[in-house]
Amino acid sequence: MLKIAYDPIYAHPLPEGHRFPMLKYELIPGQLLYEGVIGRNNLFSPGLLEENIITRTHDENYWHQLRDLTLSPKEQRRTGFPLSAQLVEREIRIAKGTIDGCRYAFDDGVAFNVAGGTHHAGSNWGEGFCLLNDQAIAANYLLDNKLSKSILIIDLDVHQGNGTAEIFENESRVFTFSMHGANNFPYRKEQSDLDIPLKDGVSDGEFLDILKTTLPRLIEQHKPDFIFYLSGVDILATDKLGKLALSKEGCKARDQFVFEQCIKQNVPVQVSMGGGYSPQIKDIVEAHCNTFKAAIDLYF
């Protein structure tokens, strides 16, 4: 059974007019339930993380500033969110949901987090709507608990996974792969183990050709025993921040190919949703829901 991390705290209240589409976090599970794609028993509510698990990935001083709500106004602006205790709890629960998802993925082949993909959070900073890096925290958890020896992070969000790259720059057991818009945020990129910057306007065919040439070779060369997949839908042509030109069909084909490769190589995968900023929230929700549907069609 597909297990999906979700809690109502994911849909955190934001000031009127805020550009982050927080509503999608309640609409995605709602739509999947409405269509009968999933049932209530597919969803689980993650708990809280121990501080020592957080500080294995994030600098202790940075974590204490988050926990104690003492980030400076400049640092808060960098995150894009007003800092609050509820926001910090949200981030902790999202990270716990990704760790829990890993355990389900070992059993079922795949597991999801309705939120997550917070790849701009580095070891000692938050930015771009990311405060704690859920997949980085989970990857370190797997390594520390000897649940994995070799991890591949596949980041197909339109923005480079700069925080993830920085966190694992000296960790040979984690291979970071980011395929992203070259002329997009963050404008100061970090160095992933493999970065593929894409020119503006790349559409379905070119994107999928690059992915199909690259991903099987990566899996074959590095032989991961666990994969994290960041499936951002800000690659869509409708996305106001993306600068790429993929269709919903192309986005779903991307997801299908990633899952097919994981199945072919018998590698469990945890999926976090990442970004999506199309003006019509129905476009965001539909594209995210397609990722769930692709997994269910292939795994269950």
Side-chain angles (χ1 to χ4, degrees):
M1 177 191 294
L2 180 65
K3 300 301 286 186
I4 303 166
Y6 168 70
D7 189 275
I9 201 172
Y10 284 11
H12 179 72
L14 291 172
E16 186 72 30
H18 197 285
R19 65 176 180 166
F20 188 83
M22 194 67 79
L23 182 62
K24 75 176 186 178
Y25 296 119
E26 63 183 64
L27 293 179
I28 292 168
Q31 185 65 28
L32 292 170
L33 288 165
Y34 175 77
E35 293 183 26
V37 176
I38 64 170
R40 292 282 176 187
N41 57 346
N42 292 104
L43 301 171
F44 71 91
S45 177
L48 300 175
L49 273 180
E50 297 90 345
E51 290 197 0
N52 65 298
I53 295 175
I54 297 170
T55 56
R56 167 65 174 84
T57 297
H58 290 286
D59 175 80
E60 189 170 322
N61 183 59
Y62 169 66
W63 161 242
H64 287 168
Q65 287 180 298
L66 279 181
R67 181 196 65 190
D68 301 336
L69 309 181
T70 57
L71 282 182
S72 70
K74 181 179 180 181
E75 290 169 320
Q76 289 190 52
R77 285 194 298 272
R78 187 178 180 186
T79 70
F81 291 144
L83 189 59
S84 69
Q86 183 180 345
L87 179 67
V88 175
E89 180 183 341
R90 172 186 187 267
E91 304 302 308
I92 298 170
R93 289 188 185 275
I94 289 171
K96 183 64 161 59
T98 296
I99 288 176
D100 292 344
C102 294
R103 294 188 174 276
Y104 287 120
F106 281 120
D107 293 333
D108 302 323
V110 63
F112 275 74
N113 198 332
V114 168
T118 43
H119 59 164
H120 298 311
S123 59
N124 64 354
W125 79 80
E127 70 175 350
F129 310 131
C130 304
L131 281 76
L132 297 175
N133 193 315
D134 68 301
Q135 291 187 324
I137 289 171
N140 278 327
Y141 180 88
L142 294 185
L143 295 174
D144 292 347
N145 288 276
K146 298 181 170 47
L147 298 171
S148 176
K149 295 179 181 178
S150 178
I151 291 170
L152 172 63
I153 298 179
I154 302 169
D155 189 336
L156 301 184
D157 191 273
V158 81
H159 304 107
Q160 193 217 26
N162 59 321
T164 308
E166 182 265 342
I167 287 168
F168 292 119
E169 62 181 337
N170 297 313
E171 176 52 85
S172 62
R173 296 172 294 175
V174 178
F175 190 95
T176 53
F177 165 42
S178 180
M179 188 166 147
H180 53 265
N183 302 312
N184 213 316
F185 179 89
Y187 298 107
R188 180 186 177 277
K189 308 285 196 290
E190 300 289 337
Q191 186 172 339
S192 308
D193 291 303
L194 176 62
D195 285 303
I196 299 182
L198 304 171
K199 65 182 184 295
D200 292 356
V202 164
S203 56
D204 294 356
E206 187 175 356
F207 186 99
L208 292 170
D209 284 347
I210 294 170
L211 182 62
K212 289 177 179 180
T213 300
T214 305
L215 184 56
R217 175 175 50 84
L218 278 184
I219 296 175
E220 180 61 32
Q221 287 179 349
H222 297 282
K223 295 180 170 51
D225 54 28
F226 198 90
I227 287 174
F228 289 93
Y229 175 35
L230 203 172
S231 60
V233 302
D234 40 14
I235 61 172
L236 291 176
T238 54
D239 197 274
K240 60 188 177 184
L241 302 180
K243 301 184 181 180
L244 300 187
L246 275 78
S247 67
K248 290 175 190 170
E249 294 73 24
C251 191
K252 186 174 183 180
R254 172 203 69 174
D255 298 333
Q256 289 171 327
F257 184 75
V258 171
F259 294 140
E260 287 166 356
Q261 297 310 301
C262 294
I263 291 168
K264 182 179 179 180
Q265 300 296 332
N266 196 31
V267 184
V269 57
Q270 185 280 329
V271 188
S272 290
M273 302 317 293
Y277 307 95
S278 296
Q280 297 295 320
I281 198 162
K282 64 181 178 60
D283 292 326
I284 303 172
V285 172
E286 182 181 349
H288 277 312
C289 286
N290 282 343
T291 310
F292 290 84
K293 294 174 183 177
I296 289 169
D297 288 346
L298 288 166
Y299 283 90
F300 299 98

